[in-house]
Structure formats: structure tokens, C-alpha cells
Amino acid sequence: MFEYEGLPETIPARMVELYLQINGHLCFARHAGELYVYTGGMGGEPDVYYRPTVYTVANPAQDWSKNLIIGADCAVMRNDSLYLGLLPLYRRYAHALAENELSLHVTDINSRMISLISASDDRTIESARKYLEDIERGKLGVIAENAFLEGLKAQPLTSSGRNVLMDLMEYEQYLKSGWFNEIGLDSNYNMKRERLNTAEVEMNNDALAPLVDDMLRSREEGLEEANALFGTSMSVKLSSAWEQNRLETEAMLDAIEEGPEPEGGEEGGSDDETE
């Protein structure tokens, strides 16, 4: 989602994103003369706006733990304005998708049952089982006596299973589309069973940017503080599909601002124009 430049060799870009997306924040700090990123807890005596002033880290591999003063010993980078990260969002959609997958599985199994068969005695049960086995193997089932018909009852089930299955499939599409849209990737969630016009396809474009913009701005501010504190030149920008979406949006906004060209071409002055 993001591409980093200027990170020291001691800071893998993957770990930066892992810490931010899972924990919601991290800090840049020096240890043994090298710059690292750590994740920990924030606390200390709050400042005038009730923000934490101390970042506590503990790293077993380095045998090092310390209470770092924010702004003096370390620079804090947050994933978003609320320090939430993406894990709560992912848990929400993953839980809903898992529940829906279970419902799909149960509905799929239940859709195999066209009717319920009941019998009054063991002999009829065995005859019914043999009859069903013959049908399953492709043989023609034969009923030998009237007692079988008299002791056997079949209750037809409702045909709503197919509708339930379609609803669950549409709900899964809705959840996946919502998940993608939340993290700034356009995915159609319109449940119409007809063709969509251009306006319907592009109706959710405005909803894609806010979280992505907030995450990018939070990272830029964190790197600016780290660069000022440690004399580095780290930077970040959008990557992959997110960068492409940004470029397409900027091009569209530029076209809207320019507007249509005036009729008759460019305006020009007359030949007898005076100074």
C-alpha cells in the first residue's frame, strides 16, 4: 500500500507496515548507534492536550528496554489519526465472512434434501434405505409390498433454500466489497441483477480516499518528525493500485477545473488595439 524511500538498512519497510497496521503506532529510536523502529506502549505524564509523553519499549533480542521521551529520545509514527491500525477493521470483516461461509456450507448441505422420509418400523426403514441406495446407484427402485407404502411418509421441504443460498452469496460479495472499499480499493457492491450505468459504478469513488489520505498523512508527519530528530531523509508515498487511483482522481479533478473550451477558439486582441 505504501512505498518507503531512504529507510536505513536496520529498518525493513515490511516491519514498519506490520507494526503500524497491527498496533496502530511505532517509534523511531537509536540503540547502539543504529536507528530502529519499535512498538510498545505510550504513557507518562500527559501534556496540555492529554497526549502521552513517554513511549515504553522492550526488545528481548537486543536485551534493551527503556522509557523514551517522545520528541527527544524517539519520534512516534501513527497508522491513522486515532492510533487504531487496521487490525480491528480486518477482524470485523473476517469474522463476518467466516460466519457467512459457515452459513453457505450448511445451506449447501441442506439444499440436497428435497424431502424428509419417515418410517413406522425397522422393516420399513430398511426397505426405504435399500430403495434410496438403488436410486443413488442408478438402479430403478422397486416397491414389493403395500406395507412399505403404508408405513412410509415423505414430507416435502420448502423450495426457499435456493433463495437463501443466493442471498448468502450476495452478502459475501457485499462484505468483500466493503472490505476493499474501506482500505481504498474500488470494488462494486451494487446488488442489482441488471447492468450498471457509469454513475452507479463510480458512485463510491468519494468514499475510497479519506482513510487512505489519513494513513498517508500520518506516515508523512511521523517521518518528518523522525527526520528532524535523527537527521535522516526518509519519505513515503502511495504504491500499486492506490497510487494509480490517486493519479486517476487528480487527472479527473484537473479536467473538471479546466472546464470545457470556449466556443470560437481562444480569445485574441484586435489589430487596431491601442497600448
Side-chain angles (χ1 to χ4, degrees):
M1 189 173 186
F2 297 98
E3 183 177 336
Y4 292 86
E5 296 180 356
L7 292 179
E9 294 182 359
T10 52
I11 301 179
R14 178 178 180 273
M15 296 310 301
V16 173
E17 282 303 307
L18 208 59
Y19 284 168
L20 289 174
Q21 294 185 28
I22 292 178
N23 301 291
H25 52 80
L26 58 77
C27 78
F28 291 85
R30 286 196 184 278
H31 175 69
E34 299 288 347
L35 188 63
Y36 295 91
V37 288
Y38 299 95
T39 181
M42 292 186 289
E45 184 177 351
D47 65 6
V48 66
Y49 294 110
Y50 302 98
R51 295 173 299 187
T53 58
V54 174
Y55 202 102
T56 303
V57 301
N59 192 290
Q62 296 177 337
D63 192 22
W64 183 64
S65 62
K66 190 174 182 180
N67 292 325
L68 304 171
I69 305 300
I70 297 176
D73 300 327
C74 68
V76 174
M77 179 192 288
R78 61 185 186 273
N79 179 76
D80 50 85
S81 297
L82 297 178
Y83 299 84
L84 291 177
L86 294 180
L87 195 57
L89 175 68
Y90 289 172
R91 281 175 174 161
R92 171 195 168 196
Y93 281 103
H95 178 78
L97 281 170
E99 293 291 341
N100 192 65
E101 289 285 351
L102 290 173
S103 299
L104 272 171
H105 177 69
V106 173
T107 305
D108 187 26
I109 297 299
N110 289 339
S111 65
R112 301 175 184 176
M113 297 183 296
I114 300 177
S115 61
L116 292 177
I117 299 177
S118 61
S120 59
D121 54 75
D122 293 342
R123 183 178 178 182
T124 306
I125 291 175
E126 187 60 31
S127 299
R129 185 178 291 113
K130 181 65 169 57
Y131 173 76
L132 292 175
E133 289 176 355
D134 289 343
I135 295 297
E136 184 178 358
R137 294 171 181 173
K139 298 180 180 179
L140 293 178
V142 178
I143 300 174
E145 52 184 295
N146 291 335
F148 175 73
L149 294 176
E150 295 174 356
L152 189 69
K153 295 181 180 179
Q155 301 293 333
L157 299 178
T158 60
S159 59
S160 60
R162 176 178 174 80
N163 295 333
V164 174
L165 198 61
M166 291 297 297
D167 291 342
L168 291 173
M169 293 171 64
E170 290 181 352
Y171 183 52
E172 180 164 355
Q173 177 190 349
Y174 170 78
L175 289 174
K176 290 181 178 179
S177 299
W179 195 342
F180 280 122
N181 291 339
E182 289 271 15
I183 59 174
L185 294 177
D186 189 9
S187 180
N188 178 38
Y189 62 88
N190 197 308
M191 295 294 108
K192 288 177 60 178
R193 293 185 176 89
E194 304 171 1
R195 65 181 181 88
L196 304 176
N197 57 43
T198 303
E200 290 171 330
V201 172
E202 298 179 352
M203 64 182 296
N204 64 323
N205 285 350
D206 292 340
L208 303 179
L211 177 59
V212 177
D213 290 342
D214 184 31
M215 292 173 64
L216 178 61
R217 183 172 58 252
S218 297
R219 283 160 173 76
E220 290 173 340
E221 292 175 354
L223 290 179
E224 288 176 3
E225 296 177 8
N227 290 335
L229 187 61
F230 300 108
T232 52
S233 57
M234 299 176 289
S235 62
V236 64
K237 64 179 182 179
L238 291 174
S239 180
S240 188
W242 291 271
E243 175 65 11
Q244 184 63 32
N245 290 342
R246 171 63 59 85
L247 294 176
E248 292 176 356
T249 301
E250 291 177 352
M252 181 181 63
L253 293 176
D254 291 341
I256 294 176
E257 290 179 358
E258 292 176 0
E261 295 184 0
E263 296 182 1
E266 298 181 356
E267 296 182 358
S270 60
D271 293 339
D272 58 349
E273 186 176 40
T274 58
E275 294 182 358

